[in-house]
Amino acid sequence: MRLLSCFLVLAVSTTHLCDAGPLHAQCRADWYFGIRCQTVYEALVSQIKKWQGRDGCKMGGQRCLYKLKSSSVHFIAAKHTSPLRGNVDDINFRLVSYPFIVSCRVSAMSVSESWYRVKDHGANYCNLYNLMEGSGLTQASGYREVTSDFMCTQRSTANCTVY
Ligand SMILES: *[C@@H]1O[C@H](CO)[C@@H](O)[C@H](O)[C@H]1NC(C)=O
């Protein structure tokens, strides 16, 4: 609904109201792989479990405090808590495989639970990207990412080493 009203605003006026990104701190991104969804699923779930505790953030960054909520090969739901400020973000991955070729599309979403968060320094994007990178999926065959500043708050300036 938010996205829709954003499009409508763009359509009826030339103001750049939506240039700054979503109206709430969040990120929507699609990742494509030339490997089976089962493999992608296992990599993501095992990475979420590896980063449950605080250890991953000992040297800084946000690669810790993930919590798996539910998982099936088609849908993974988790939470991520910022070790610094305690902000909680809800994340999910929807996995869709193509029947005739070995490939998998992952539609991912991360949304800050606090309704008032508008800026996040790209943290919602990093919530998702860090799992892709940490699990080695960014090196997988056919890896491709589709997102933008419009779909992800402050995506282009995100530094996932920090956030
Ligand atoms: C991201 O932050 C780290 C740690 O502060 C820094 O070393 C690195 O250069 C930054 N990367 C970019 C692309 O700004």
Side-chain angles (χ1 to χ4, degrees):
M1 205 48 216
R2 249 186 236 110
L3 271 181
L4 183 61
S5 48
C6 213
F7 277 120
L8 288 175
V9 167
L10 275 185
V12 297
S13 77
T14 52
T15 61
H16 297 281
L17 200 68
C18 301
D19 278 7
L23 302 180
H24 176 80
Q26 64 180 50
C27 179
R28 249 248 341 92
D30 287 324
W31 277 279
Y32 295 84
F33 300 96
I35 56 177
R36 295 174 60 224
C37 275
Q38 179 73 33
T39 311
V40 175
Y41 164 76
E42 282 163 12
L44 288 174
V45 167
S46 97
Q47 200 57 51
I48 290 168
K49 289 180 176 167
K50 260 182 216 157
W51 285 344
Q52 271 181 58
R54 285 190 168 266
D55 287 1
C57 297
K58 270 185 185 151
M59 311 295 278
Q62 302 273 331
R63 297 175 173 218
C64 65
L65 300 181
Y66 280 89
K67 191 175 196 307
L68 189 65
K69 304 296 285 179
S70 70
S71 67
S72 74
V73 74
H74 304 295
F75 192 79
I76 301 168
K79 278 181 189 289
H80 179 255
T81 304
S82 160
L84 302 175
R85 299 174 193 279
N87 296 319
V88 180
D89 303 323
D90 292 306
I91 66 186
N92 68 64
F93 298 94
R94 190 174 294 282
L95 297 86
V96 179
S97 53
Y98 298 93
F100 303 114
I101 40 171
V102 178
S103 66
C104 183
R105 187 185 81 215
V106 179
S107 298
M109 180 97 198
S110 175
V111 186
S112 293
E113 283 191 353
S114 318
W115 60 267
Y116 52 83
R117 283 200 92 205
V118 178
K119 301 279 181 213
D120 69 350
H121 304 284
N124 278 289
Y125 169 73
C126 294
N127 281 342
L128 305 170
Y129 176 80
N130 283 339
L131 288 173
M132 292 292 172
E133 211 267 331
S135 63
L137 283 170
T138 52
Q139 306 297 315
S141 138
Y143 170 83
R144 191 159 60 89
E145 175 188 283
V146 178
T147 186
S148 65
D149 275 25
F150 181 70
M151 299 202 292
C152 289
T153 309
Q154 298 178 291
R155 156 76 181 86
S156 59
T157 52
N159 182 340
C160 293
T161 309
V162 182
Y163 293 99

